Amino acid sequence: LVPQLAGIPRFLFPQGSLHDYREKTDDIRATGGRFLGLWANNSGHPVVYSAFLLREGLLVLSVPLDREGGRWIFPSLSPIFPAAIRFERTVIDLYGYHPVGLLDTRPWINHSLWDSPPMGAPEDRDSCFGHQGGTEPHLADYPFVRVTGPGVHEIPVGPVHAGIIEPGHFRLQVVGEKILRLEERLGYTHKGVDSLFLGRSILDGSSLAGRISGDSTVAFAFAYAQAVENALKFSPSSGVCFMRAFLLERERIANHLGDLGALGNDAGLFFGLSQFSRLKENMLRKNQIHFGSRYLFDLIVPGGVTLAFKEESTQDLLDELDILLEEVTLLKKIYDDHGGLQDRFQNTGVLTPDTASRMGLGGVVGRASGQAWDLRIDHGWDPYRRFPPAMALFHVGDVAARVSIRFLEILESLFLCRAILLHGPEHSIRENLPDNEDCVEGIGVVEGFRGEIVSWVRIGKNGKLEGAHLQDPSGILWPALEVAVPGNLVADFPLINKSFNLSYSGNDL
């Protein structure tokens, strides 16, 4: 048992046999635990880690790999947790470790740009990144699943899109205007994040963590700080916890404002886009004035935060919250009463509670489909324990439900921010972290605006990072989009996609 920090119990399971690993994951599934992510590390003996969220807390299992037939192997989790498939395909691409029992072994991150795993076990590292022998890589066609039949045709979307969003390829199989099947191909924004952490100082690692997915910089930096503090057995002060929560909720509000405007626009209500864009822009300008960064970069670091509230800022921020509460409440009524908008939202992109449960979904998408998971409520620390937000929960699982979740979460976050400003403790900034005499590992998890962000770090005796991995919830949620789209019209695909609003960069680590 790792000490309980920030209210969330975390468990690091001792390394055991492959049989122990499979037996434990069977138990997790049987008791309702959710899969959150899977990654590998090759410091010394090759190891695969997998993270799960239980009602009791966060559990991370580690399993050392066996050598069989010249390959490092481990049991695939995909028969138990289907969401593990793409994570395990990534491990094959980056490390050459092979999950036994994985049915889909197509490359995921590797777009035929290198011939052998760039981050594999020490004895496999001679090739490193890139292709071998100075020859051009063979860019093989990705083997998309084909759907054939009378009237069936394909519509490729991306990877380069019409806007400024990051690249991702979507292959739609269509009959007339109805979508039969959607298959995604991502990985275009892969940048070797895990390897970029190696050898960095703890503070430098914080800056990198906050840039994995820019719209979630607070949540990523928060999760990273949690993992470091968990490894070093350090508990931040109450003032730091309140400040971190305040920043996290501001990030949640700003992103939900942007999403609601984009969803209105995709459904034909440009008025919604203009109004929510105005509200979000005003909020970002307040961030710049009071926190020195529009998107709140580099404000959360291991050991604390980099600034405290200014007394002169409190009243201005309270006034801002009052304005947002009034305007968001009015816009919610407009959205709810707009017949054309609701006609596009309702019964579009339905994800049933049963499907969401089997896929282990959390965040906005999961709660819109009846999955009652929210770390702020399930494992809340102060201020969430002192001022618990109400969980927004719907069971229809359509675009309308995902819109309603965002509205309700904005309102709850506004009330929480007000409580922090009025009743929070005296603000402190940052304390020195303790030194570590041995190599240590730590884990963290934070409820970002999309869902749970998981962080793992390994810190060497010299205080340098020997390993790190941060996982955005988008890796779990992208496959759910493939399930929600079939049966809808082609014209509704952008709307359904926006109602998920998943990260490419946070997925393509």
Side-chain angles (χ1 to χ4, degrees):
L1 173 64
V2 180
Q4 179 174 324
L5 303 177
I8 303 172
R10 306 117 193 262
F11 304 86
L12 282 171
F13 190 74
Q15 289 188 3
S17 67
L18 300 184
H19 174 74
D20 293 336
Y21 178 70
R22 186 60 179 269
E23 188 177 67
K24 187 66 177 176
T25 54
D26 282 335
D27 291 343
I28 292 169
R29 183 59 176 170
T31 55
R34 289 177 45 225
F35 172 84
L36 292 186
L38 180 146
W39 63 96
N41 187 256
N42 53 23
S43 298
H45 192 83
V47 176
V48 167
Y49 296 86
S50 49
F52 305 88
L53 186 61
L54 317 177
R55 291 300 181 186
E56 296 80 13
L58 176 67
L59 176 68
V60 174
L61 304 181
S62 61
V63 56
L65 278 60
D66 280 352
R67 192 77 167 173
E68 182 181 281
R71 301 192 308 177
W72 293 104
I73 64 167
F74 64 99
S76 172
L77 295 183
S78 58
I80 313 168
F81 297 99
I85 291 174
R86 291 177 179 175
F87 294 87
E88 293 179 346
R89 290 167 66 185
T90 298
V91 167
I92 296 174
D93 288 351
L94 296 185
Y95 292 85
Y97 305 161
H98 291 269
V100 177
L102 177 63
L103 297 179
D104 187 353
T105 57
R106 293 174 295 170
W108 183 243
I109 293 295
N110 184 356
H111 289 210
S112 301
L113 296 177
W114 61 78
D115 295 327
S116 58
M119 297 175 64
E123 62 268 34
D124 300 328
R125 279 189 160 186
D126 291 340
S127 61
C128 295
F129 241 137
H131 49 277
Q132 298 174 327
T135 59
E136 289 297 320
H138 174 61
L139 297 178
D141 287 337
Y142 184 76
F144 286 100
V145 175
R146 302 292 182 183
V147 177
T148 59
V152 176
H153 62 284
E154 288 188 339
I155 301 176
V157 180
V160 178
H161 300 286
I164 60 171
I165 63 173
E166 293 173 303
H169 186 86
F170 304 92
R171 188 66 61 97
L172 302 165
Q173 274 93 26
V174 177
V175 170
E177 285 297 312
K178 182 168 287 188
I179 300 170
L180 296 178
R181 191 177 190 280
L182 165 65
E183 187 172 3
E184 304 156 353
R185 189 188 188 192
L186 306 177
Y188 294 92
T189 59
H190 168 66
K191 46 215 163 290
V193 171
D194 287 9
S195 64
L196 294 177
F197 279 105
L198 299 178
R200 287 179 182 259
S201 68
I202 290 173
L203 189 59
D204 284 346
S206 179
S207 180
L208 175 58
R211 284 159 176 79
I212 290 176
S213 186
D215 59 5
S216 299
T217 181
V218 172
F220 269 94
F222 197 161
Y224 172 83
Q226 275 191 355
V228 170
E229 291 160 2
N230 179 245
L232 299 177
K233 310 295 189 291
F234 173 86
S235 295
S237 68
S238 180
V240 164
C241 291
F242 272 66
M243 183 64 170
R244 286 177 173 179
F246 185 81
L247 296 173
L248 185 66
E249 295 310 309
R250 286 190 70 84
E251 182 173 81
R252 190 184 319 278
I253 294 168
N255 280 298
H256 283 347
L257 291 173
D259 288 348
L260 289 170
L263 282 160
N265 187 59
D266 280 359
L269 185 66
F270 182 75
F271 169 82
L273 176 64
S274 63
Q275 295 305 309
F276 279 108
S277 296
R278 173 180 60 84
L279 294 178
K280 180 178 180 179
E281 176 60 25
N282 288 342
M283 193 171 193
L284 297 181
R285 292 182 183 186
K286 292 290 186 184
N287 285 346
Q288 181 68 50
I289 292 170
H290 297 295
F291 305 106
S293 172
R294 285 168 58 85
Y295 286 93
L296 307 175
F297 280 97
D298 299 324
L299 297 179
I300 295 180
V301 294
V305 292
T306 59
L307 84 170
F309 285 116
K310 304 172 186 174
E311 285 189 23
E312 60 270 23
S313 298
T314 302
Q315 188 57 53
D316 189 35
L317 291 170
L318 286 170
D319 292 343
E320 176 200 31
L321 296 176
D322 289 340
I323 293 171
L324 280 170
L325 177 60
E326 180 181 352
E327 297 214 30
V328 170
T329 301
L330 176 59
L331 285 167
K332 182 179 186 303
K333 186 176 188 321
I334 291 173
Y335 269 45
D336 290 344
D337 293 345
H338 194 289
L341 205 64
Q342 292 302 315
D343 184 60
R344 292 291 306 278
F345 285 172
Q346 293 179 9
N347 300 314
T348 301
V350 174
L351 201 63
T352 66
D354 181 62
T355 299
S357 176
R358 285 188 288 106
M359 299 187 77
L361 306 184
V364 169
V365 175
R367 290 189 286 275
S369 297
Q371 306 309 297
W373 295 86
D374 189 327
L375 288 173
R376 301 173 300 163
I377 299 163
D378 301 332
H379 300 292
W381 66 96
D382 278 344
Y384 298 111
R385 185 183 295 114
R386 186 174 171 188
F387 308 111
M391 183 181 296
L393 192 67
F394 286 82
H395 291 79
V396 180
D398 56 4
V399 171
R402 294 188 278 274
V403 168
S404 295
I405 291 285
R406 288 179 168 90
F407 270 116
L408 294 178
E409 290 195 354
I410 288 175
L411 298 177
E412 288 298 316
S413 294
L414 290 173
F415 289 127
L416 181 60
C417 287
R418 168 174 284 279
I420 292 173
L421 287 173
L422 292 176
H423 307 294
E426 183 178 347
H427 305 299
S428 55
I429 301 182
R430 183 184 174 198
E431 300 175 49
N432 292 327
L433 294 170
D435 295 327
N436 55 301
E437 297 180 359
D438 300 310
C439 185
V440 292
E441 295 183 29
I443 50 179
V445 61
V446 166
E447 186 76 33
F449 85 97
R450 290 188 178 95
E452 304 94 350
I453 292 172
V454 180
S455 174
W456 165 84
V457 298
R458 180 182 174 90
I459 305 171
K461 296 179 183 179
N462 59 0
K464 299 292 185 181
L465 295 173
E466 292 186 355
H469 179 83
L470 286 91
Q471 183 61 59
D472 189 87
S474 299
I476 305 293
L477 296 169
W478 275 116
L481 178 64
E482 293 181 334
V483 177
V485 166
N488 292 270
L489 300 180
V490 173
D492 285 330
F493 169 66
L495 179 63
I496 301 169
N497 188 21
K498 175 52 67 177
S499 75
F500 279 63
N501 187 23
L502 305 180
S503 171
Y504 297 85
S505 186
N507 180 79
D508 302 341
L509 301 176

